[in-house]
């Protein structure tokens, strides 16, 4: 799951304003140059935020804020519909933080994008986030005509914990035959399991920003609204019964990660002893909602075509690799994009000019190309 400070976005806006403030050229003698620089900078920021090519509507469904992005030009036919669940460890993040990502998809894919502002834990207790995302999805699916969306072109997407929500929602919808079938799931550096925190990516990227290995455990406790009493034990996988470890090693194991992803100094760890009291404290993270990677083959084989993006310098990299393997082994078509220079949460910086990362642009272009190919 992915965390970034709620102060990050205002700070980036301030950076844009200051950059323009100090780099715009004004000739000598112009009236009140400081005031002019200031208002020009604000105008630039407003231009970044406002896009004349999109219609944007805010509404609330069952207490959940939604922001809907639609191309302004009249549709020549039915459009794609994209649901987007943002990252933030289930406890941070917002619709605003991923404004640029959603705008970009709406424009470049000529699609209707529904960004879901699910309510955050611990104030809104787990597993309420899944119900919020599900209710938003059901609302959209039941009102496709209003948005000129093709029921055969519905895409469910998200980043980090939002990708976890997208995965779970796709699995839940398999049981509802009265709704349109999801065309594809788009999962961006997803967090999909709480069984093994010793996978190669967890070891190799334990201290890499924006998400360290310790932060993963901290946010698991925060998400569940539990005191992090046993966080060191969970870090050592002491929360997993031996029977469960054996049951799921066919799906979650370092042995299933390709050797090319172990070259950065991976050392197989010694197994730690199971502690029942630790399991009891965090047993929810082993449930099918929190860990959709553990779903049975009978569910996985029914899932829609999938796009998975992983980043090399990300503790969650191997969650994506393992899910890719499971999907492919169950006959699900997977398009995989691996960002060799990327880190977890990189899309939070997308669209901020000087503050953006080239890898984020490449990921977004890959996503757009995939969606446009459907």
């Amino acid at each position: 799951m992915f965390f970034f400070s709620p102060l990050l976005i205002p700070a980036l806006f301030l950076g844009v304003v200051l950059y323009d403030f100090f780099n715009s050229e004004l000739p000598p003698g112009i009236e009140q140059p400081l005031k002019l620089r200031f208002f020009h900078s604000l105008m630039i920021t407003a231009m970044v935020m406002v896009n004349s090519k999109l219609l944007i509507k805010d509404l609330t469904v069952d207490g959940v804020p939604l922001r809907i992005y639609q191309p302004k030009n009249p549709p020549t036919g039915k459009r794609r519909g994209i649901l987007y669940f943002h990252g933030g460890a289930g406890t941070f993040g917002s619709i605003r933080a991923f404004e640029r990502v959603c705008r970009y998809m709406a424009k470049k894919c000529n699609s209707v994008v529904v960004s879901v502002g699910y309510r955050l834990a611990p104030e809104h207790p787990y597993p309420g986030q899944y119900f919020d995302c599900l209710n938003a999805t059901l609302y959209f699916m039941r009102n496709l005509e209003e948005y000129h969306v093709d029921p055969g072109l519905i895409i469910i997407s998200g980043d980090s914990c939002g990708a976890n929500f997208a995965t779970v929602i796709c699995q839940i919808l398999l049981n509802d035959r009265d709704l349109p079938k999801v065309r594809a799931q788009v999962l961006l550096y997803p967090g999909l399991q709480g069984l093994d925190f010793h996978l190669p990516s967890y070891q190799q990227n334990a201290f890499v920003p924006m998400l360290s290995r310790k932060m993963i455990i901290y946010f698991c406790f925060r998400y569940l609204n539990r005191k992090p009493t046993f966080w060191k034990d969970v870090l050592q996988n002491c929360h997993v019964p031996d029977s469960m470890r054996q049951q799921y090693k066919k799906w979650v194991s370092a042995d299933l990660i390709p050797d090319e992803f172990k070259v950065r100094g991976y050392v197989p760890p010694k197994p730690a002893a199971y502690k029942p009291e630790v399991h009891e404290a965090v047993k929810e993270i082993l449930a099918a909602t929190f860990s959709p990677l553990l779903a049975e083959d009978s569910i996985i084989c029914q899932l829609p075509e999938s796009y998975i993006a992983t980043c090399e310098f990300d503790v969650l990299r191997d969650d994506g690799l393992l899910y890719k393997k499971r999907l492919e082994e169950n006959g699900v078509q997977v398009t995989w994009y691996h960002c060799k220079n990327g880190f977890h949460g990189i899309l939070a910086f997308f669209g901020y000019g000087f503050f953006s990362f080239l890898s984020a642009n490449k990921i977004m272009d890959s996503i757009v190309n995939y969606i446009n190919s459907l």
Side-chain angles (χ1 to χ4, degrees), residues 266-309:
Y266 170 67
V267 178
K270 295 180 180 179
Y274 168 60
K275 297 183 179 181
E277 68 276 16
V278 179
H279 172 76
E280 190 62 30
V282 294
K283 60 185 177 182
E284 290 91 343
I285 71 175
L286 299 172
T289 45
F290 198 102
S291 296
L293 180 55
L294 306 183
E296 293 298 323
D297 286 338
S298 58
I299 293 175
I300 299 293
C301 69
Q302 299 182 68
L303 290 170
E305 178 181 335
S306 303
Y307 172 99
I308 299 176

Side-chain angles (χ1 to χ4, degrees), residues 82-220:
I82 304 171
L83 285 134
Y84 190 84
F85 309 135
H86 66 78
T91 63
F92 296 91
S94 67
I95 287 174
R96 295 187 303 276
F98 289 86
E99 179 91 8
R100 281 156 181 72
V101 170
C102 293
R103 286 176 181 271
Y104 194 80
M105 288 195 294
K107 287 187 299 179
K108 296 296 184 179
C109 300
N110 191 31
S111 300
V112 178
V113 176
V114 180
S115 183
V116 180
Y118 57 85
R119 289 167 289 187
L120 303 175
E123 291 78 13
H124 187 63
Y126 164 87
Q129 293 68 39
Y130 295 97
F131 296 122
D132 284 356
C133 290
L134 178 60
N135 289 337
T137 302
L138 294 177
Y139 160 78
F140 186 51
M141 285 185 161
R142 291 166 178 162
N143 291 276
L144 297 178
E145 282 293 328
E146 178 182 346
Y147 300 105
H148 305 287
V149 168
D150 186 338
L153 287 174
I154 297 174
I155 297 144
I156 297 184
S157 65
D159 68 282
S160 193
C161 74
N164 175 291
F165 301 156
T167 305
V168 173
I169 298 307
C170 283
Q171 293 182 4
I172 291 173
L173 292 176
L174 294 175
N175 299 320
D176 197 326
R177 304 300 179 185
D178 296 327
L179 294 171
K181 188 176 180 180
V182 176
R183 177 67 178 85
Q185 56 179 353
V186 173
L187 311 177
L188 313 175
Y189 36 79
L192 301 172
Q193 59 86 31
L195 185 83
D196 190 347
F197 296 109
H198 276 293
L199 293 170
S201 62
Y202 277 96
Q203 187 183 108
Q204 294 164 332
N205 302 307
F207 304 103
V208 176
M210 304 258 298
L211 186 65
S212 70
R213 187 162 162 256
K214 287 183 180 180
M215 287 173 68
I216 282 277
I217 307 303
Y218 168 78
F219 287 125
C220 284

Side-chain angles (χ1 to χ4, degrees), residues 4-19 45 48 97 100 210 346-357:
F4 62 90
S5 166
L7 298 177
L8 174 62
I9 302 304
L12 291 175
F13 274 123
L14 179 61
V16 172
V17 171
L18 292 176
Y19 180 83
T45 303
V48 170
R100 281 156 181 72
M210 304 258 298
I346 195 170
L347 289 181
F349 299 92
F350 175 76
Y352 284 98
F354 174 80
F355 298 96
S356 295
F357 291 83

Side-chain angles (χ1 to χ4, degrees), residues 21-53:
F21 185 90
F22 290 110
N23 287 276
S24 56
E25 296 184 5
L26 296 178
I30 198 165
E31 183 180 359
Q32 295 182 286
L34 290 178
K35 183 185 292 186
L36 180 57
R37 283 182 186 274
F38 176 75
F39 284 114
H40 182 252
S41 299
L42 291 182
M43 183 184 72
I44 292 296
T45 303
M47 289 173 63
V48 170
M49 294 184 65
V50 177
N51 192 301
S52 60
K53 295 182 180 179

Side-chain angles (χ1 to χ4, degrees), residues 227-273:
K227 293 181 179 179
T229 309
F230 298 108
W231 73 269
K232 290 184 179 179
D233 292 312
V234 175
L235 203 62
Q236 299 303 318
N237 294 337
C238 297
H239 63 298
V240 184
D242 293 334
S243 59
M244 183 175 286
R245 199 170 300 178
Q246 291 300 315
Q247 178 184 358
Y248 291 121
K249 70 178 183 180
K250 59 184 176 180
W251 298 333
V252 182
S253 169
D255 295 338
L256 304 175
I257 303 298
D259 289 341
E260 64 189 277
F261 294 101
K262 299 176 183 177
V263 295
R264 287 196 291 120
Y266 170 67
V267 178
K270 295 180 180 179

